[in-house]
Amino acid sequence: MLFHVEMTVNLPPDMPEEQAAEIKATEKAYSQTLQQKGTWRHLWRVAGSYSNVSIFDVRDNDELQRIISGLPLFPYMEIRVRPLCRHPSSIRDDDS
Amino acid sequence: MLFHVEMTVNLPPDMPEEQAAEIKATEKAYSQTLQQKGTWRHLWRVAGSYSNVSIFDVRDNDELQRIISGLPLFPYMEIRVRPLCRHPSSIRDDDS
Amino acid sequence: MLFHVEMTVNLPPDMPEEQAAEIKATEKAYSQTLQQKGTWRHLWRVAGSYSNVSIFDVRDNDELQRIISGLPLFPYMEIRVRPLCRHPSSIRDDDS
Amino acid sequence: MLFHVEMTVNLPPDMPEEQAAEIKATEKAYSQTLQQKGTWRHLWRVAGSYSNVSIFDVRDNDELQRIISGLPLFPYMEIRVRPLCRHPSSIRDDDS
Amino acid sequence: MLFHVEMTVNLPPDMPEEQAAEIKATEKAYSQTLQQKGTWRHLWRVAGSYSNVSIFDVRDNDELQRIISGLPLFPYMEIRVRPLCRHPSSIRDDDS
Amino acid sequence: MLFHVEMTVNLPPDMPEEQAAEIKATEKAYSQTLQQKGTWRHLWRVAGSYSNVSIFDVRDNDELQRIISGLPLFPYMEIRVRPLCRHPSSIRDDDS
Amino acid sequence: MLFHVEMTVNLPPDMPEEQAAEIKATEKAYSQTLQQKGTWRHLWRVAGSYSNVSIFDVRDNDELQRIISGLPLFPYMEIRVRPLCRHPSSIRDDDS
Amino acid sequence: MLFHVEMTVNLPPDMPEEQAAEIKATEKAYSQTLQQKGTWRHLWRVAGSYSNVSIFDVRDNDELQRIISGLPLFPYMEIRVRPLCRHPSSIRDDDS
Amino acid sequence: MLFHVEMTVNLPPDMPEEQAAEIKATEKAYSQTLQQKGTWRHLWRVAGSYSNVSIFDVRDNDELQRIISGLPLFPYMEIRVRPLCRHPSSIRDDDS
Amino acid sequence: MLFHVEMTVNLPPDMPEEQAAEIKATEKAYSQTLQQKGTWRHLWRVAGSYSNVSIFDVRDNDELQRIISGLPLFPYMEIRVRPLCRHPSSIRDDDS
């Protein structure tokens, strides 16, 4: 089941650089593990911003919540979630 | 080059059903041709709405404009475009 | 799987009364069938408005989309969907 | 009498972890007492967020105010309240 | 129990004058009956607009809904409802 | 001359409790003096919020400005002012 | 007593030209009478729009309401009203 | 050439009182010099707020920018600028 | 003097095609005349929309108003105007 | 390929002046290098604000992202990006 998730990062300008670097490294590892498992299907940067657009493939809403609230950057992000489904004009049954 | 496009359809409630059906059929054919060519990479329905989220892969802004303004439903849609690029945490060079 | 759905009805003021009455009657029957099946778990009127707040219990996003886009009032409503899940402070495993 | 309440938590990023943990524990106990009494009828997490949707069953507006302003997280939440009532299409007299 | 209600009237510009006059006359009579019963406690025009601010004193949310949805101008108004209660600094127990 | 004023209090979470308590006490006294003089005609809490709705009866805009900018909580509030006047359907000449 | 009023005109595109011309002529005469009396102190066009910014000098809110609701274009305008008063840094007692 | 400028002051609540007083005094002097020269034609307080509405008469956009960015409170204000011109219904050629 | 102008065209869907074509042709001629004179310095389409971004070089606000209100599509456009001036980091004195 | 970029600078009021001056100097040099290369085609100040409007000419979305995220002021700016293309009424093939 697919979800469309937009995330915008707002790190406080006075966060020490080391701390920021550590959070970002943990976030990257967390994200890449989920990408390799196929749960985080797509991950794009919105050009000219500190935002991404992501497609998640999860079993249900609970799994989505576990994954998103587990993001190391979760406390510093504005997040918008929208459920996706097959579009009647799509030529693919599973447009993941 | 990828673009993230959101479209919401607002057909006037008093449009004759035949006319609406014809526009939708033309739109579907138009969309499927572009999907088969690989230009319209993804097409999802946002669940519970008359909106879609799409990913286009085009040569440049001009091609994007030609494709979107050529949509049969173009005069009846609210459209939002955002340029995408590779995310530094993505595990794929070409996340299309 | 639960979804929180808000619907606001905007019937065009010049719709003939008979037509409006017929749509509303069909909508009521449609809604009550889904309530009896347990799919439409809750249905409340927001006091002082022509809006409702609903809780749907569906198998997945696709079923949600089929149900909502099948609403007789669908072309006349503004709709907002949010996926729900168990709250960590809830005393019920299945707060439906 | 039912009320629909949405709460979004915004803890300041620099709040010491212990203090945050204590507030959250008090909030959880407070919430569960009200759930057991039947006043806090429903409590859902909005998936992918630090927000909840709740249904309260109170005697009047004053009781609602006492309960919400007494929430340990009250100073850190954005809150939206809407009065609910029976929907004419509901199949239940008391859709709590 | 008090509610704060804001109403903005949007009559379609092409409504025949007679029809508009009749709706407004019915609305006025409806409003004055409720004022005399004490249900519609206050009614002010917002200067420079076609909006009013009203205070209703009702038994519960259901009565509020019956009254507001029964307004002859209801289909032509944008309405916002907020529940009120005693302010801790008020010098009156019943500030109606 | 009546004015409709909405105030939402936003105290910084890190303000020392004593300081907050003192400002609130001064605000309460200030408000009650104005209520006794009849200038602050109504004062309601919006249920479930740290907001109030107030009706002021002042000689002119200047007096309104003096009173509002003199509120001890003024630097911490979001404020919206709207001028009121007699509604043509009101049954009272002076609906204060 | 001064009020700051912004007006944006939205004439329906299908209004017959003669009717529009007549309303505008009546509006112009109405406005110029009030300007000559000193009630409509200032009237500016916002460049590049069909909006104006105006300063009214009236006895009270009731007079403001009478004047604005009497504008021939009133049913076709979006209007925003703000009460003005002397600014503490102004070098004029009566900055009209 | 006239411009309509709205300014809302947002001083950080933790700015030392002396510093705030000094900025405000410099701002007042700066403003009064410009008023005396005729550049700052009008200056009104919006009643019940820490906002003003101003009319500037400048040679061109560059002069407007120099004046506004030179305001001592500039870093603490939200500012909105709109170009003005003669209104066709105005009875004055130079409605300054 | 430069102005930044954004225009979004909203033609009513039921406007006869011939009428629309004629307005657009007149608009195009009007725009090209102004481009040739150097008044309409830049004209870009926003990709994926029926909007443009334009830079105008005019003598003053009055000339801007005359040009924009004279656009054949003026009654059908949403327009936003912002005055521009030299940026302190620009390498050109006249960045037209 | 052209992009329209709006940037608004929000430096924290408590940033030490030296640090602010250094960031601004680096930003200026960075911007002027890109202007000389022809990548940053236009740069205007919006009069009365701490915002600019810029036109970038880049090879693709990736280059745009590299340039914008490399801006020394990037962490302190609100940024909006819109892709541009040739307008059908433009008299220039390459309106850069």
Side-chain angles (χ1 to χ4, degrees), chain A residues 32-80:
Chain A
Q32 295 191 335
T33 306
L34 287 163
Q35 288 179 68
Q36 265 136 9
K37 286 172 61 178
T39 308
W40 197 322
R41 288 287 187 99
H42 297 287
L43 170 59
W44 297 287
R45 168 70 75 226
V46 179
S49 76
Y50 198 174
S51 302
N52 73 60
V53 168
S54 293
I55 307 292
F56 285 88
D57 185 357
V58 293
R59 213 176 25 254
D60 53 20
N61 295 345
D62 280 295
E63 190 185 356
L64 182 73
Q65 167 65 7
R66 264 198 315 280
I67 287 169
I68 291 181
S69 64
L71 288 164
L73 281 169
F74 181 69
Y76 307 104
M77 292 201 290
E78 207 173 309
I79 294 174
R80 185 182 179 200

Short mmCIF file of all heavy atoms in Angstrom, two decimals, chain A residues 32-80:
data_model
loop_
_atom_site.label_atom_id
_atom_site.label_comp_id
_atom_site.label_asym_id
_atom_site.label_seq_id
_atom_site.Cartn_x
_atom_site.Cartn_y
_atom_site.Cartn_z
N GLN A 32 18.41 4.52 4.01
CA GLN A 32 18.93 3.57 3.03
C GLN A 32 18.55 2.13 3.37
O GLN A 32 18.30 1.32 2.48
CB GLN A 32 20.44 3.77 2.87
CG GLN A 32 20.73 5.17 2.27
CD GLN A 32 22.15 5.37 1.83
OE1 GLN A 32 23.06 4.72 2.33
NE2 GLN A 32 22.36 6.27 0.88
N THR A 33 18.49 1.80 4.65
CA THR A 33 18.01 0.47 5.05
C THR A 33 16.58 0.25 4.54
O THR A 33 16.26 -0.79 3.98
CB THR A 33 18.04 0.34 6.59
OG1 THR A 33 19.34 0.63 7.05
CG2 THR A 33 17.63 -1.06 7.03
N LEU A 34 15.74 1.27 4.73
CA LEU A 34 14.35 1.14 4.28
C LEU A 34 14.24 1.11 2.76
O LEU A 34 13.36 0.46 2.20
CB LEU A 34 13.51 2.28 4.85
CG LEU A 34 13.22 2.14 6.35
CD1 LEU A 34 12.75 3.47 6.93
CD2 LEU A 34 12.15 1.06 6.59
N GLN A 35 15.12 1.82 2.08
CA GLN A 35 15.11 1.76 0.62
C GLN A 35 15.50 0.36 0.14
O GLN A 35 14.90 -0.17 -0.80
CB GLN A 35 16.08 2.80 0.04
CG GLN A 35 15.58 4.24 0.18
CD GLN A 35 16.58 5.24 -0.38
OE1 GLN A 35 16.80 5.29 -1.59
NE2 GLN A 35 17.21 6.02 0.49
N GLN A 36 16.53 -0.21 0.80
CA GLN A 36 16.97 -1.54 0.37
C GLN A 36 15.89 -2.61 0.60
O GLN A 36 15.76 -3.54 -0.17
CB GLN A 36 18.27 -1.94 1.08
CG GLN A 36 19.51 -1.61 0.25
CD GLN A 36 20.60 -0.98 1.08
OE1 GLN A 36 20.53 -0.91 2.30
NE2 GLN A 36 21.65 -0.48 0.40
N LYS A 37 15.10 -2.45 1.66
CA LYS A 37 14.01 -3.40 1.93
C LYS A 37 12.82 -3.19 0.99
O LYS A 37 11.87 -3.96 1.00
CB LYS A 37 13.52 -3.22 3.37
CG LYS A 37 14.46 -3.77 4.42
CD LYS A 37 14.01 -3.39 5.82
CE LYS A 37 12.63 -3.95 6.17
NZ LYS A 37 12.25 -3.60 7.56
N GLY A 38 12.82 -2.07 0.25
CA GLY A 38 11.70 -1.81 -0.66
C GLY A 38 10.56 -1.05 0.00
O GLY A 38 9.54 -0.77 -0.64
N THR A 39 10.72 -0.70 1.27
CA THR A 39 9.65 0.03 1.96
C THR A 39 9.63 1.50 1.53
O THR A 39 8.58 2.10 1.38
CB THR A 39 9.89 -0.03 3.49
OG1 THR A 39 10.06 -1.40 3.85
CG2 THR A 39 8.73 0.57 4.24
N TRP A 40 10.81 2.06 1.40
CA TRP A 40 10.92 3.46 0.96
C TRP A 40 11.20 3.39 -0.54
O TRP A 40 12.34 3.38 -0.98
CB TRP A 40 12.07 4.13 1.72
CG TRP A 40 12.07 5.63 1.70
CD1 TRP A 40 11.73 6.44 0.68
CD2 TRP A 40 12.46 6.51 2.78
NE1 TRP A 40 11.87 7.77 1.04
CE2 TRP A 40 12.32 7.84 2.32
CE3 TRP A 40 12.92 6.30 4.08
CZ2 TRP A 40 12.62 8.95 3.13
CZ3 TRP A 40 13.22 7.42 4.87
CH2 TRP A 40 13.06 8.72 4.40
N ARG A 41 10.12 3.36 -1.33
CA ARG A 41 10.24 3.08 -2.76
C ARG A 41 10.93 4.18 -3.55
O ARG A 41 11.69 3.92 -4.48
CB ARG A 41 8.84 2.87 -3.35
CG ARG A 41 8.20 1.56 -2.96
CD ARG A 41 8.86 0.39 -3.67
NE ARG A 41 8.11 -0.82 -3.41
CZ ARG A 41 7.21 -1.33 -4.25
NH1 ARG A 41 6.97 -0.74 -5.40
NH2 ARG A 41 6.56 -2.42 -3.93
N HIS A 42 10.59 5.41 -3.25
CA HIS A 42 11.20 6.51 -3.99
C HIS A 42 11.57 7.61 -3.02
O HIS A 42 10.90 7.81 -1.99
CB HIS A 42 10.23 7.10 -5.02
CG HIS A 42 9.84 6.14 -6.08
ND1 HIS A 42 10.70 5.76 -7.08
CD2 HIS A 42 8.69 5.46 -6.29
CE1 HIS A 42 10.08 4.89 -7.88
NE2 HIS A 42 8.87 4.69 -7.41
N LEU A 43 12.62 8.34 -3.38
CA LEU A 43 13.10 9.43 -2.54
C LEU A 43 13.71 10.48 -3.47
O LEU A 43 14.73 10.23 -4.12
CB LEU A 43 14.16 8.91 -1.55
CG LEU A 43 14.95 9.97 -0.77
CD1 LEU A 43 14.04 10.86 0.06
CD2 LEU A 43 15.98 9.29 0.13
N TRP A 44 13.01 11.63 -3.57
CA TRP A 44 13.52 12.70 -4.42
C TRP A 44 13.72 13.96 -3.61
O TRP A 44 12.94 14.29 -2.71
CB TRP A 44 12.52 13.03 -5.55
CG TRP A 44 12.27 11.93 -6.50
CD1 TRP A 44 13.10 11.47 -7.48
CD2 TRP A 44 11.06 11.15 -6.62
NE1 TRP A 44 12.49 10.46 -8.19
CE2 TRP A 44 11.25 10.24 -7.69
CE3 TRP A 44 9.84 11.12 -5.94
CZ2 TRP A 44 10.27 9.32 -8.08
CZ3 TRP A 44 8.87 10.23 -6.32
CH2 TRP A 44 9.09 9.33 -7.38
N ARG A 45 14.73 14.75 -3.95
CA ARG A 45 14.91 16.09 -3.43
C ARG A 45 14.07 17.03 -4.29
O ARG A 45 14.05 16.90 -5.53
CB ARG A 45 16.41 16.48 -3.53
CG ARG A 45 16.72 17.92 -3.32
CD ARG A 45 16.54 18.41 -1.90
NE ARG A 45 17.60 17.98 -1.00
CZ ARG A 45 17.36 17.47 0.21
NH1 ARG A 45 16.12 17.33 0.66
NH2 ARG A 45 18.36 17.09 0.98
N VAL A 46 13.33 17.94 -3.66
CA VAL A 46 12.67 19.01 -4.41
C VAL A 46 13.74 20.07 -4.68
O VAL A 46 14.31 20.63 -3.74
CB VAL A 46 11.49 19.61 -3.63
CG1 VAL A 46 10.85 20.73 -4.45
CG2 VAL A 46 10.47 18.53 -3.30
N ALA A 47 14.03 20.32 -5.97
CA ALA A 47 15.16 21.20 -6.32
C ALA A 47 14.99 22.60 -5.72
O ALA A 47 13.91 23.20 -5.83
CB ALA A 47 15.31 21.29 -7.84
N GLY A 48 16.05 23.10 -5.09
CA GLY A 48 16.03 24.44 -4.52
C GLY A 48 15.44 24.51 -3.13
O GLY A 48 15.02 25.58 -2.69
N SER A 49 15.41 23.37 -2.42
CA SER A 49 14.77 23.35 -1.10
C SER A 49 15.47 22.35 -0.19
O SER A 49 16.34 21.59 -0.64
CB SER A 49 13.32 22.93 -1.23
OG SER A 49 13.25 21.53 -1.44
N TYR A 50 15.08 22.33 1.06
CA TYR A 50 15.53 21.29 1.97
C TYR A 50 14.34 20.36 2.23
O TYR A 50 13.99 20.06 3.36
CB TYR A 50 16.05 21.89 3.27
CG TYR A 50 16.92 20.97 4.11
CD1 TYR A 50 17.56 21.44 5.25
CD2 TYR A 50 17.11 19.64 3.77
CE1 TYR A 50 18.37 20.61 6.02
CE2 TYR A 50 17.90 18.80 4.53
CZ TYR A 50 18.53 19.29 5.65
OH TYR A 50 19.30 18.45 6.42
N SER A 51 13.66 19.97 1.17
CA SER A 51 12.46 19.13 1.23
C SER A 51 12.65 17.90 0.36
O SER A 51 13.40 17.93 -0.60
CB SER A 51 11.24 19.89 0.68
OG SER A 51 11.02 21.07 1.37
N ASN A 52 11.94 16.83 0.70
CA ASN A 52 11.91 15.69 -0.19
C ASN A 52 10.49 15.24 -0.44
O ASN A 52 9.57 15.57 0.32
CB ASN A 52 12.76 14.52 0.34
CG ASN A 52 12.13 13.82 1.52
OD1 ASN A 52 11.03 13.28 1.42
ND2 ASN A 52 12.82 13.83 2.67
N VAL A 53 10.31 14.50 -1.52
CA VAL A 53 9.05 13.81 -1.79
C VAL A 53 9.39 12.33 -1.80
O VAL A 53 10.34 11.91 -2.46
CB VAL A 53 8.46 14.23 -3.14
CG1 VAL A 53 7.33 13.29 -3.54
CG2 VAL A 53 7.96 15.66 -3.09
N SER A 54 8.61 11.55 -1.04
CA SER A 54 8.89 10.12 -0.90
C SER A 54 7.65 9.29 -1.15
O SER A 54 6.52 9.75 -0.93
CB SER A 54 9.38 9.83 0.53
OG SER A 54 10.63 10.43 0.76
N ILE A 55 7.88 8.09 -1.64
CA ILE A 55 6.80 7.10 -1.76
C ILE A 55 7.15 5.92 -0.87
O ILE A 55 8.23 5.32 -1.01
CB ILE A 55 6.64 6.61 -3.22
CG1 ILE A 55 6.49 7.80 -4.18
CG2 ILE A 55 5.47 5.63 -3.34
CD1 ILE A 55 5.23 8.60 -4.06
N PHE A 56 6.24 5.62 0.06
CA PHE A 56 6.44 4.48 0.95
C PHE A 56 5.48 3.35 0.57
O PHE A 56 4.34 3.60 0.20
CB PHE A 56 6.17 4.87 2.40
CG PHE A 56 7.26 5.69 3.01
CD1 PHE A 56 7.24 7.08 2.89
CD2 PHE A 56 8.32 5.10 3.69
CE1 PHE A 56 8.26 7.85 3.44
CE2 PHE A 56 9.33 5.86 4.25
CZ PHE A 56 9.31 7.23 4.12
N ASP A 57 5.98 2.13 0.68
CA ASP A 57 5.13 0.96 0.44
C ASP A 57 5.06 0.17 1.74
O ASP A 57 6.02 -0.51 2.11
CB ASP A 57 5.73 0.11 -0.69
CG ASP A 57 4.81 -1.05 -1.06
OD1 ASP A 57 3.77 -1.22 -0.41
OD2 ASP A 57 5.16 -1.79 -2.01
N VAL A 58 3.94 0.28 2.43
CA VAL A 58 3.82 -0.33 3.76
C VAL A 58 2.61 -1.25 3.83
O VAL A 58 1.73 -1.23 2.97
CB VAL A 58 3.67 0.76 4.84
CG1 VAL A 58 4.94 1.57 4.96
CG2 VAL A 58 2.47 1.65 4.53
N ARG A 59 2.58 -2.07 4.88
CA ARG A 59 1.46 -3.01 5.05
C ARG A 59 0.19 -2.26 5.45
O ARG A 59 -0.89 -2.55 4.99
CB ARG A 59 1.82 -4.03 6.12
CG ARG A 59 1.23 -5.39 5.88
CD ARG A 59 1.70 -6.40 6.90
NE ARG A 59 2.10 -5.75 8.13
CZ ARG A 59 3.36 -5.58 8.53
NH1 ARG A 59 4.35 -6.06 7.81
NH2 ARG A 59 3.63 -4.94 9.65
N ASP A 60 0.35 -1.26 6.34
CA ASP A 60 -0.83 -0.54 6.82
C ASP A 60 -0.42 0.79 7.46
O ASP A 60 0.76 1.12 7.51
CB ASP A 60 -1.62 -1.40 7.81
CG ASP A 60 -0.73 -1.90 8.95
OD1 ASP A 60 0.36 -1.29 9.17
OD2 ASP A 60 -1.09 -2.89 9.60
N ASN A 61 -1.42 1.53 7.96
CA ASN A 61 -1.16 2.84 8.56
C ASN A 61 -0.21 2.73 9.76
O ASN A 61 0.60 3.64 10.01
CB ASN A 61 -2.47 3.48 9.04
CG ASN A 61 -3.42 3.80 7.88
OD1 ASN A 61 -3.00 3.80 6.72
ND2 ASN A 61 -4.68 4.05 8.19
N ASP A 62 -0.33 1.65 10.52
CA ASP A 62 0.52 1.50 11.70
C ASP A 62 1.99 1.43 11.30
O ASP A 62 2.84 2.06 11.94
CB ASP A 62 0.12 0.25 12.50
CG ASP A 62 -1.09 0.51 13.38
OD1 ASP A 62 -0.98 1.33 14.31
OD2 ASP A 62 -2.15 -0.07 13.12
N GLU A 63 2.27 0.66 10.26
CA GLU A 63 3.67 0.57 9.84
C GLU A 63 4.17 1.94 9.36
O GLU A 63 5.30 2.34 9.65
CB GLU A 63 3.82 -0.48 8.72
CG GLU A 63 5.30 -0.76 8.42
CD GLU A 63 5.51 -1.69 7.24
OE1 GLU A 63 4.50 -2.19 6.67
OE2 GLU A 63 6.68 -1.93 6.87
N LEU A 64 3.32 2.66 8.65
CA LEU A 64 3.72 4.00 8.20
C LEU A 64 4.08 4.89 9.40
O LEU A 64 5.10 5.59 9.39
CB LEU A 64 2.56 4.64 7.41
CG LEU A 64 2.88 6.03 6.86
CD1 LEU A 64 3.85 5.95 5.69
CD2 LEU A 64 1.62 6.78 6.44
N GLN A 65 3.23 4.83 10.41
CA GLN A 65 3.48 5.67 11.59
C GLN A 65 4.78 5.26 12.29
O GLN A 65 5.58 6.13 12.67
CB GLN A 65 2.29 5.53 12.56
CG GLN A 65 2.50 6.06 13.95
CD GLN A 65 2.71 7.57 13.98
OE1 GLN A 65 2.57 8.23 12.96
NE2 GLN A 65 3.08 8.09 15.12
N ARG A 66 5.03 3.96 12.42
CA ARG A 66 6.28 3.50 13.06
C ARG A 66 7.49 4.02 12.30
O ARG A 66 8.44 4.52 12.89
CB ARG A 66 6.32 1.96 13.10
CG ARG A 66 5.84 1.37 14.42
CD ARG A 66 6.29 -0.07 14.60
NE ARG A 66 6.09 -0.88 13.41
CZ ARG A 66 4.94 -1.42 13.04
NH1 ARG A 66 3.86 -1.26 13.79
NH2 ARG A 66 4.85 -2.13 11.93
N ILE A 67 7.44 3.91 10.97
CA ILE A 67 8.59 4.33 10.16
C ILE A 67 8.82 5.84 10.25
O ILE A 67 9.93 6.31 10.50
CB ILE A 67 8.38 3.90 8.69
CG1 ILE A 67 8.57 2.39 8.58
CG2 ILE A 67 9.33 4.65 7.77
CD1 ILE A 67 8.14 1.82 7.24
N ILE A 68 7.76 6.61 10.08
CA ILE A 68 7.93 8.06 10.05
C ILE A 68 8.31 8.61 11.42
O ILE A 68 9.21 9.45 11.55
CB ILE A 68 6.67 8.74 9.49
CG1 ILE A 68 6.52 8.41 8.00
CG2 ILE A 68 6.74 10.26 9.67
CD1 ILE A 68 5.34 9.04 7.32
N SER A 69 7.63 8.12 12.46
CA SER A 69 7.96 8.66 13.78
C SER A 69 9.33 8.18 14.24
O SER A 69 9.89 8.73 15.19
CB SER A 69 6.88 8.30 14.80
OG SER A 69 6.83 6.90 14.97
N GLY A 70 9.89 7.18 13.57
CA GLY A 70 11.22 6.70 13.91
C GLY A 70 12.34 7.44 13.19
O GLY A 70 13.52 7.23 13.48
N LEU A 71 11.99 8.31 12.25
CA LEU A 71 13.02 9.07 11.52
C LEU A 71 13.83 9.93 12.49
O LEU A 71 13.26 10.70 13.27
CB LEU A 71 12.36 9.99 10.49
CG LEU A 71 11.74 9.33 9.26
CD1 LEU A 71 10.80 10.30 8.56
CD2 LEU A 71 12.83 8.87 8.30
N PRO A 72 15.15 9.85 12.43
CA PRO A 72 15.96 10.69 13.32
C PRO A 72 15.65 12.18 13.20
O PRO A 72 15.74 12.92 14.17
CB PRO A 72 17.40 10.37 12.89
CG PRO A 72 17.33 8.99 12.31
CD PRO A 72 15.97 8.87 11.68
N LEU A 73 15.25 12.62 12.01
CA LEU A 73 14.93 14.04 11.83
C LEU A 73 13.47 14.36 12.15
O LEU A 73 13.03 15.52 12.00
CB LEU A 73 15.24 14.47 10.38
CG LEU A 73 16.71 14.73 10.04
CD1 LEU A 73 16.91 14.87 8.54
CD2 LEU A 73 17.21 15.99 10.74
N PHE A 74 12.69 13.34 12.57
CA PHE A 74 11.24 13.54 12.80
C PHE A 74 10.93 14.80 13.62
O PHE A 74 10.04 15.57 13.26
CB PHE A 74 10.63 12.30 13.44
CG PHE A 74 9.16 12.40 13.69
CD1 PHE A 74 8.26 12.42 12.63
CD2 PHE A 74 8.64 12.49 14.99
CE1 PHE A 74 6.88 12.51 12.86
CE2 PHE A 74 7.28 12.58 15.22
CZ PHE A 74 6.41 12.60 14.15
N PRO A 75 11.64 15.06 14.75
CA PRO A 75 11.25 16.24 15.55
C PRO A 75 11.53 17.56 14.84
O PRO A 75 11.07 18.60 15.30
CB PRO A 75 12.13 16.13 16.80
CG PRO A 75 12.69 14.74 16.80
CD PRO A 75 12.72 14.28 15.38
N TYR A 76 12.26 17.51 13.73
CA TYR A 76 12.64 18.75 13.07
C TYR A 76 11.99 18.88 11.70
O TYR A 76 12.42 19.69 10.88
CB TYR A 76 14.17 18.81 12.91
CG TYR A 76 14.89 18.58 14.21
CD1 TYR A 76 15.51 17.37 14.50
CD2 TYR A 76 14.91 19.59 15.17
CE1 TYR A 76 16.14 17.17 15.71
CE2 TYR A 76 15.55 19.39 16.38
CZ TYR A 76 16.16 18.18 16.64
OH TYR A 76 16.78 17.96 17.84
N MET A 77 10.98 18.08 11.43
CA MET A 77 10.41 18.12 10.08
C MET A 77 8.92 18.46 10.10
O MET A 77 8.18 18.10 11.01
CB MET A 77 10.60 16.77 9.39
CG MET A 77 12.07 16.48 9.09
SD MET A 77 12.31 15.26 7.79
CE MET A 77 11.73 13.78 8.62
N GLU A 78 8.52 19.16 9.04
CA GLU A 78 7.11 19.34 8.74
C GLU A 78 6.76 18.24 7.75
O GLU A 78 7.44 18.08 6.72
CB GLU A 78 6.94 20.70 8.08
CG GLU A 78 5.59 21.34 8.25
CD GLU A 78 5.64 22.75 7.68
OE1 GLU A 78 6.57 23.51 8.05
OE2 GLU A 78 4.79 23.07 6.84
N ILE A 79 5.71 17.48 8.03
CA ILE A 79 5.44 16.28 7.24
C ILE A 79 4.00 16.28 6.77
O ILE A 79 3.10 16.63 7.52
CB ILE A 79 5.73 15.02 8.09
CG1 ILE A 79 7.22 14.94 8.39
CG2 ILE A 79 5.25 13.75 7.38
CD1 ILE A 79 7.60 13.84 9.32
N ARG A 80 3.78 15.89 5.52
CA ARG A 80 2.42 15.76 5.00
C ARG A 80 2.25 14.39 4.36
O ARG A 80 3.07 14.01 3.51
CB ARG A 80 2.16 16.85 3.95
CG ARG A 80 0.73 16.83 3.47
CD ARG A 80 0.48 17.87 2.40
NE ARG A 80 -0.90 17.78 1.96
CZ ARG A 80 -1.36 18.25 0.83
NH1 ARG A 80 -0.52 18.87 0.02
NH2 ARG A 80 -2.62 18.12 0.48
#
